[in-house]
Amino acid sequence: SRLIVPGETLRKGGQRPPFLPVAPPFWLQRPPFSAAPIEAGAGMGYLPSHFGQDPAMTPPRKLFVKTYGCQMNVYDSERMAEAMGGAGYVTTENPAEADMIVLNTCHIREKAAEKVYSELGRLKPLKAANPELKIAVAGCVAQAEGAEILRRAPMVDLVVGPQTYHRLPQMEAEARAGGRPVDTEFPPEDKFDHLPKGPRAGRGPAAFLTVQEGCDKFCAFCVVPYTRGAEVSRPAARLMAEARDLVARGVREITLLGQNVNAYHGEGDAGPWTLARLLRAMAGIEGLARLRYTTSHPNDMDDDLIAAHGDLPALMPYLHLPVQSGSDRVLKAMNRRHTAADYLRLIERLRAVRPDLALSGDFIVGFPGETEADFEATLDLVRRVGYHSPFPFKYSARPGTPAAERPVLPDSVLDERLYRLQALIAQQQRAAQSAMVGREVEVLFEKPGRMAGQMMGKSEHLHAVNVTAGGLAAGDLRRVRITESRTNSLAGVLV
Ligand code: 5AD
Ligand code: SF4
């Protein structure tokens, strides 16, 4: 359910309605913690500069990757950089010096394809300055538009869908030879099998691991089942091996990723494994301190997964569980196949086993046919649950989805509802943060903070925590007493 940049829904005619700051979800955050677009190139300093370089060869070619959208795309960008590393590329943060530019696109926001075309237009001068520059469009817009991109954007050299990134080096060679390859297939082979084993492409001690892709839920507003395709789970043994490998390379926290991650049902010994079983097995990996997963559908929260929140200390007390609306009428129209009461019961069961569970979620306001009473039911649900960091979105039609056929509400209604939901959410978020002041939390330190001598890490509840202290290193897991709540972070001292 997760492919967004929340800020984008807030723009209307170039103007932002009054917006109370809500931090983007962590899977969208990467240094320097901005909202979209995420510059994957900028985050790829971890790839050593010699990576993929053959000393006998001419200087390596440079790759710039620009990533839009969700954490899944960030992960895919890292894999593409690794694949191109095997073909002699190093990453750059400067598109002007790149020999290849990849736009890793997201289709979940409104007019996504149009935005990609205008971004491509902006790349024209670079292509004019360097005719050898190869431009690739990847991701969900590539999947949705396919060869149409080559027709509309003559500067594009290749188009690659999310399932065939392992073929990127071969496609790049084809493009250098004068071709314009397009590959938006869903091939039978596992793309993960083909990626070269390079240095770890992740950030410090917290890593992501994609365990499933695609979605079979077909929520009426959502493009994911069309762009990412049917739900496919990766085999459990592979994932266990990758998790062990990450830990051997210093990772202490793993977030299992998937568009509908709790639908995971990978092959394994003694029948298919569920997400709960995978989490239980990973919790046994020595040196792995923390596990998280995102993002989930309420109907796939099975009994064992709920129990795992109570009995797996490594499973962090934070859950992103989107409900989208608090109105049963709207939930039905959205094809969510659960009621608001089902969701509330689920939250109750989760909190019964893990009382300090921090909840996050997604909400769509102004879905076609939503009445004032429906919207108030959403506000009511938000009040009853009490969220740490939920994400409100203004409905907008995605071509090809069932909801796109339905009459839309006036924009003024959407803006007004979004504003009211944001106000409530901001209030809850501030309360959740302030409640941490004076408490002791465990922080996994990830990297230096903005101030000299400061280190930034994440609490169990996924709050960003800054501590100024000597001798702290990335990967340290330390107890911290929270002394202050700031806009989007907490400050504390070591205990
Ligand atoms: N309009 C508005 N929000 C949407 N989302 C998905 N599709 C749409 C749409 N057409 C939101 C949902 C989902 C999140 C990733 O993006 O809330 O959970
Ligand atoms: Fe999430 Fe529904 Fe979209 Fe699947 S179809 S990714 S469950 S919003």
Side-chain angles (χ1 to χ4, degrees):
S1 319
R2 172 101 338 258
L3 289 177
I4 18 87
V5 175
E8 280 207 37
T9 54
L10 304 169
R11 253 169 252 142
K12 184 198 146 208
Q15 278 199 322
R16 292 165 81 93
F19 175 52
L20 297 156
V22 176
F26 76 97
W27 53 89
L28 290 174
Q29 293 182 15
R30 62 188 285 114
F33 296 118
S34 59
I38 304 156
E39 303 277 352
M44 288 192 169
Y46 50 78
L47 286 178
S49 57
H50 62 270
F51 180 46
Q53 202 176 335
D54 177 350
M57 279 179 8
T58 44
R61 289 198 166 118
K62 296 203 169 121
L63 174 72
F64 176 79
V65 184
K66 184 161 180 166
T67 310
Y68 298 83
C70 67
Q71 195 56 56
M72 189 74 81
N73 269 11
V74 172
Y75 180 91
D76 282 346
S77 290
E78 290 168 351
R79 303 284 89 70
M80 284 193 271
E82 285 174 2
M84 292 312 293
Y89 272 79
V90 296
T91 56
T92 175
E93 296 174 19
N94 177 7
E97 64 166 24
D99 301 282
M100 178 168 180
I101 294 181
V102 177
L103 298 185
N104 191 7
T105 62
C106 167
H107 201 287
I108 207 142
R109 289 293 123 228
E110 202 176 3
K111 303 197 184 81
E114 292 314 311
K115 284 178 192 156
V116 171
Y117 288 118
S118 33
E119 177 72 28
L120 285 167
R122 284 195 286 277
L123 294 179
K124 248 188 211 157
L126 293 182
K127 186 96 178 180
N130 174 15
E132 288 302 301
L133 171 66
K134 296 296 163 211
I135 297 181
V137 179
C140 292
V141 172
Q143 187 67 40
E145 296 273 295
E148 173 68 7
I149 296 178
L150 296 186
R151 201 183 62 73
R152 276 191 59 182
M155 79 287 277
V156 172
D157 298 286
L158 68 95
V159 176
V160 59
Q163 302 310 322
T164 48
Y165 291 151
H166 55 288
R167 297 182 186 162
L168 194 57
Q170 182 197 328
M171 293 175 74
E172 185 261 2
E174 253 177 87
R176 295 231 170 261
R180 293 180 88 201
V182 177
D183 193 340
T184 52
E185 261 178 62
F186 283 82
E189 79 260 24
D190 183 345
K191 68 177 172 183
F192 299 97
D193 283 340
H194 296 263
L195 296 172
K197 278 239 171 297
R200 190 178 93 68
R203 299 160 294 148
F208 294 99
L209 179 55
T210 294
V211 304
Q212 71 80 234
E213 280 192 274
C215 182
D216 296 337
K217 290 280 186 288
F218 290 94
C219 298
F221 50 80
C222 183
V223 286
V224 168
Y226 311 97
T227 55
R228 289 280 171 156
E231 204 278 312
V232 177
S233 293
R234 303 183 59 211
R238 283 288 306 266
L239 296 171
M240 288 303 294
E242 282 176 33
R244 282 195 198 95
D245 184 54
L246 287 170
V247 173
R249 290 192 272 166
V251 166
R252 311 216 56 196
E253 171 177 312
I254 294 182
T255 300
L256 304 183
L257 282 183
Q259 264 106 15
N260 185 185
V261 74
N262 60 344
Y264 176 81
H265 60 278
E267 268 169 46
D269 56 27
W273 281 36
T274 58
L275 185 68
R277 191 155 173 208
L278 190 62
L279 287 165
R280 289 182 188 285
M282 284 188 183
I285 297 176
E286 204 181 322
L288 183 58
R290 293 175 161 193
L291 284 164
R292 307 181 187 274
Y293 60 92
T294 197
T295 183
S296 296
H297 190 289
N299 291 0
D300 292 318
M301 291 303 297
D302 64 32
D303 293 349
D304 195 22
L305 188 53
I306 295 172
H309 279 277
D311 61 36
L312 274 189
L315 186 54
M316 291 292 101
Y318 180 102
L319 178 63
H320 182 260
L321 193 61
V323 64
Q324 314 293 357
S325 169
S327 152
D328 289 345
R329 228 176 50 82
V330 173
L331 287 169
K332 192 157 197 286
M334 286 176 165
N335 190 32
R336 291 287 293 182
R337 298 166 200 258
H338 60 75
T339 62
D342 295 336
Y343 180 82
L344 290 169
R345 250 191 314 272
L346 191 55
I347 301 295
E348 233 170 70
R349 290 182 63 203
L350 283 158
R351 283 186 166 153
V353 297
R354 186 80 209 223
D356 69 333
L357 186 69
L359 282 155
S360 168
D362 299 330
F363 295 89
I364 295 179
V365 304
F367 188 75
E370 184 190 73
T371 63
E372 173 63 21
D374 292 324
F375 174 65
E376 274 166 20
T378 298
L379 293 179
D380 189 50
L381 181 141
V382 172
R383 277 188 211 104
R384 287 171 72 169
V385 172
Y387 286 93
H388 255 229
S389 53
F391 301 96
F393 299 98
K394 213 161 71 168
Y395 173 74
S396 75
R398 299 291 170 276
T401 59
E405 314 290 313
R406 305 176 197 167
V408 292
L409 298 177
D411 239 8
S412 56
V413 173
L414 269 69
D415 283 343
E416 191 255 348
R417 288 183 189 167
L418 180 67
Y419 181 75
R420 284 159 68 199
L421 181 56
Q422 279 173 345
L424 174 59
I425 279 170
Q427 194 189 322
Q428 290 195 344
Q429 200 169 14
R430 270 195 303 270
Q433 257 192 223
S434 319
M436 301 310 292
V437 176
R439 279 170 61 178
E440 242 183 59
V441 300
E442 188 164 79
V443 175
L444 175 61
F445 286 95
E446 292 184 4
K447 55 171 197 167
R450 290 207 187 119
M451 319 279 204
Q454 199 184 51
M455 282 293 286
M456 194 285 294
K458 295 282 169 59
S459 73
E460 300 100 319
H461 293 105
L462 214 53
H463 284 124
V465 180
N466 288 297
V467 173
T468 305
L472 274 178
D476 286 354
L477 205 54
R478 301 283 295 269
R479 306 239 13 122
V480 170
R481 194 174 35 256
I482 302 301
T483 52
E484 198 189 327
S485 169
R486 300 181 179 151
T487 316
N488 281 322
S489 66
L490 298 169
V493 291
L494 295 181
V495 292

